[in-house]
Amino acid sequence: MTWRPQYRSSKFRHVFGKAATKESCYDGVPITRSVQDNNFCAVNPRFLAVITECAGGGAFLVLSIHHTGKVDPHTPRVSGHKGNVLDVKWNPFSDYCIASCSEDTTVKVWEIPPHGVLKNLTVPWKELQGHSRRVGLIEWHPTANNILFSTAYDYQVMIWNLDCPEQVIKNPVRTISHHTDVVLSMSFNTDGSLLATTCKDRKVRLMDSRSGNILQEANNKTHKASKVLILGNMKMLLTTGTSRWNDRQIALWDQVRTQQLRAKLHSGASSVLSSTFHVFVNGGDGNIRYYEISSEKPYIHYLTEYRSNLPQKGMGVMPKRGLDVSSCEVFRFYKLVTIKSLIEPLSMIVPRRSESYQEDIYPMTAGNRPALTAEEWLSGIDKGPVLMSLKPGSQVAESYSEMNKERGNLLDSRRSQSRPGMQQLAYIQDQLGTKDGKEDGSRTADDRSRTPISNGEDLALCSPPRTENELLLKFHKQQEEIRRLRELVHQRDVRVKQLELEIKNIKNSQAQSSDF
């Protein structure tokens, strides 16, 4: 008999967690002491939002992602709620838009200035009034723009369309009333057509996200689900919760038959588990376990564990487009350490010797462009996310309108085939003219909406270097950026000269043919 290894081969097997240094943490943050089972933190590539402890209403902080170190206790906050803030979520398609919900029964959507919150923000962009009890959870639709889901202690899930002129919206586009107790978590599939929920009544529900019709419903006497996650397009659900003996537990469900495939004990501690796909599973004890899910038995494969003696209150997760691909970072968490008033970034890194871009660990991921408008989604259309590559210098995949424009340009070029030489000339002139116009137009659009970025850092929001090593590091990064830009300019000049020469040759050949 041949010997077979007892482990499963995986490119992520040796992932390790790297906690940030003290200088790269956010110190002195008055993290909320609420007992609500939420993350209390939301992150995007520009800002970090964290719910804070305060008296007389609710508030949360919005900090620049690069503004690390000691946080001024008098830092301006977003403080428009009359009750404690329970959840915050960034709009996946705008780094300057964030939604919050509160014990005052409202949901508010805020527009954050490009340079951050410089004074207390009290007037929201939109205010959603429809729930009769405190709102505990909000989620943005993953592909449709300005569609927001909220659920409250009135057991209702409400769908809101923010594409309306009113500043105060009192009527949701739809209300889902199937739950008999408090909804504990919500999760969408990849294109946002399905919504999974867990509830205090121990049931896991899978429903159509637009109509609210229940497609599957199940529970298990040996597993009390707390959080749920739809695993992409694998037709599986992952839930975290507790067993009948109060042991923390994760379970995998068949999405079609709503049948539990496997349950796995996590540990004997009593805190609630939360989950993030690939899958990282963490509890309040500070440890994070990493699992890989497959479509074949035994389905759940343990990979590794990060251990820490600092328990976390909650955790924010950086979107894929905000990761540092040069260091092979596959996840970045922001741990809320209440006992130290500290927010600690934690990077999960795949060890690789090569410094080049590792395409095998960075597949195409969801970008920051919506695939649908709110009206298109409400009319019954479902589309997958607009994907982007994380490779430096790449752009988000083209939208459907841009594809239609290219088809129109292709038809115009076919019509010009009847004139000899004109098609090639038009193509070269298009390379010289319209390409520059597109780049200039994109630059002006970006300049209107956001501040410039260099080396992945917002120049207006970067904190100055505090030590000589940080100054030296930024100097080397700047020199590398200057060298790269010089190479790009040189390549551009060479290409322009080549195209000008080709235009001259084509014009000469046309003149000679006309003489004959």
Side-chain angles (χ1 to χ4, degrees):
M1 294 178 63
T2 58
W3 178 82
R4 294 180 180 274
Q6 298 300 312
Y7 61 88
R8 182 174 182 269
S9 176
S10 171
K11 65 186 75 172
F12 298 99
R13 168 162 291 279
H14 301 290
V15 167
F16 66 94
K18 182 179 180 182
T21 60
K22 183 73 173 179
E23 294 77 16
S24 300
C25 295
Y26 307 83
D27 195 11
V29 181
I31 301 169
T32 180
R33 300 186 183 277
S34 170
V35 295
Q36 182 77 14
D37 181 21
N38 278 335
N39 287 325
F40 305 110
C41 179
V43 193
N44 68 28
R46 290 181 181 272
F47 296 110
L48 166 72
V50 57
I51 302 173
T52 58
E53 188 73 14
C54 64
F60 61 94
L61 274 176
V62 175
L63 303 172
S64 165
I65 205 71
H66 304 293
H67 187 69
T68 55
K70 189 73 174 178
V71 176
D72 187 347
H74 302 293
T75 301
R77 307 183 187 190
V78 182
S79 54
H81 284 286
K82 297 178 181 178
N84 291 331
V85 178
L86 299 180
D87 194 17
V88 289
K89 293 286 168 57
W90 288 104
N91 187 334
F93 311 119
S94 173
D95 290 343
Y96 303 98
C97 180
I98 187 171
S100 62
C101 63
S102 168
E103 291 182 351
D104 62 9
T105 73
T106 65
V107 178
K108 297 186 179 184
V109 185
W110 310 85
E111 287 185 331
I112 305 301
H115 298 288
V117 180
L118 304 180
K119 60 180 181 179
N120 284 343
L121 195 59
T122 57
V123 180
W125 172 53
K126 299 284 184 183
E127 182 173 339
L128 314 179
Q129 301 176 357
H131 290 285
S132 59
R133 299 186 65 185
R134 59 179 176 173
V135 186
L137 188 64
I138 48 177
E139 290 288 347
W140 292 92
H141 192 277
T143 61
N145 195 28
N146 286 335
I147 293 291
L148 184 66
F149 284 64
S150 66
T151 180
Y153 279 66
D154 56 8
Y155 312 157
Q156 310 291 320
V157 177
M158 294 186 179
I159 308 174
W160 304 90
N161 177 14
L162 305 184
D163 282 344
C164 61
E166 296 84 8
Q167 193 266 336
V168 178
I169 306 174
K170 297 185 177 181
N171 297 315
V173 294
R174 187 158 289 106
T175 300
I176 302 173
S177 305
H178 300 304
H179 301 90
T180 60
D181 210 325
V182 178
V183 178
L184 301 176
S185 71
M186 297 187 290
S187 175
F188 293 95
N189 65 339
T190 305
D191 62 3
S193 61
L194 298 177
L195 174 68
T197 63
T198 53
C199 183
K200 266 193 173 181
D201 62 7
R202 292 177 173 262
K203 291 184 179 180
V204 179
R205 294 175 174 86
L206 183 68
M207 62 190 75
D208 184 281
S209 62
R210 189 182 296 103
S211 65
N213 296 331
I214 293 182
L215 305 177
Q216 300 287 346
E217 183 178 275
N219 63 351
N220 193 301
K221 294 181 179 179
T222 62
H223 177 73
K224 181 181 179 182
S226 174
K227 302 288 185 181
V228 65
L229 187 69
I230 299 182
L231 301 181
N233 296 318
M234 295 180 67
K235 296 188 180 303
M236 292 182 184
L237 303 178
L238 181 79
T239 58
T240 61
T242 56
S243 68
R244 64 172 64 180
W245 297 281
N246 208 31
D247 292 320
R248 294 187 301 175
Q249 192 180 53
I250 60 176
L252 201 63
W253 304 74
D254 188 317
Q255 180 176 309
V256 179
R257 294 175 293 176
T258 328
Q259 171 186 344
Q260 186 171 323
L261 299 175
R262 187 182 180 192
K264 187 179 182 71
L265 286 178
H266 183 69
S267 71
S270 60
S271 56
V272 176
L273 289 173
S274 59
S275 55
T276 306
F277 185 64
H278 184 248
V279 174
F280 287 94
V281 181
N282 66 83
D285 55 3
N287 299 334
I288 301 175
R289 289 190 181 183
Y290 191 15
Y291 296 92
E292 194 168 52
I293 308 298
S294 67
S295 56
E296 299 176 353
K297 291 183 179 181
Y299 304 112
I300 302 175
H301 307 276
Y302 171 78
L303 293 180
T304 185
E305 182 177 11
Y306 170 80
R307 291 184 174 272
S308 172
N309 58 358
L310 294 176
Q312 64 251 8
K313 174 76 173 179
M315 186 173 288
V317 184
M318 175 65 75
K320 290 286 189 179
R321 55 191 175 88
L323 299 179
D324 181 12
V325 297
S326 62
S327 62
C328 297
E329 182 184 43
V330 291
F331 276 93
R332 190 191 307 157
F333 302 107
Y334 288 78
K335 293 176 56 177
L336 306 185
V337 185
T338 310
I339 59 175
K340 289 192 173 184
S341 298
L342 185 75
I343 302 178
E344 180 187 46
L346 173 64
S347 298
M348 308 303 292
I349 297 173
V350 178
R352 295 286 174 95
R353 291 183 179 179
S354 175
E355 295 182 358
S356 60
Y357 176 71
Q358 305 294 309
E359 196 166 359
D360 61 321
I361 61 175
Y362 293 114
M364 296 286 283
T365 187
N368 58 349
R369 294 185 187 175
L372 297 165
T373 65
E375 292 301 325
E376 288 174 336
W377 182 77
L378 291 172
S379 67
I381 302 174
D382 289 318
K383 285 181 183 178
V386 179
L387 301 179
M388 65 176 290
S389 171
L390 298 181
K391 188 173 184 179
S394 61
Q395 296 180 350
V396 180
E398 294 172 339
S399 62
Y400 293 96
S401 60
E402 290 172 344
M403 293 170 124
N404 291 333
K405 286 181 183 177
E406 286 194 358
R407 291 193 189 101
N409 294 336
L410 182 61
L411 291 174
D412 292 338
S413 64
R414 287 177 178 173
R415 294 190 189 103
S416 64
Q417 286 181 357
S418 58
R419 302 176 66 182
M422 289 303 293
Q423 183 182 5
Q424 188 176 0
L425 178 61
Y427 171 76
I428 296 174
Q429 289 175 338
D430 193 49
Q431 291 288 315
L432 283 172
T434 60
K435 187 175 181 181
D436 292 342
K438 285 181 181 178
E439 291 182 354
D440 293 339
S442 64
R443 286 195 197 102
T444 55
D446 288 341
D447 290 341
R448 294 191 200 104
S449 61
R450 63 189 69 178
T451 52
I453 293 179
S454 176
N455 293 320
E457 296 183 356
D458 195 328
L459 297 180
L461 301 176
C462 281
S463 56
R466 296 180 178 82
T467 64
E468 186 177 350
N469 289 335
E470 288 185 8
L471 182 63
L472 191 62
L473 180 62
K474 287 185 179 293
F475 172 76
H476 288 312
K477 281 186 176 182
Q478 191 178 49
Q479 292 297 313
E480 180 67 21
E481 181 77 4
I482 292 173
R483 184 191 63 78
R484 187 181 66 83
L485 291 174
R486 281 177 177 169
E487 290 181 356
L488 289 175
V489 170
H490 177 69
Q491 294 174 3
R492 181 76 175 264
D493 291 340
V494 172
R495 182 58 180 160
V496 167
K497 289 179 180 179
Q498 291 176 349
L499 292 173
E500 287 177 346
L501 184 60
E502 290 182 16
I503 289 176
K504 186 176 180 181
N505 292 336
I506 291 173
K507 287 182 177 178
N508 290 338
S509 62
Q510 287 180 348
Q512 291 176 2
S513 61
S514 61
D515 292 340
F516 288 112

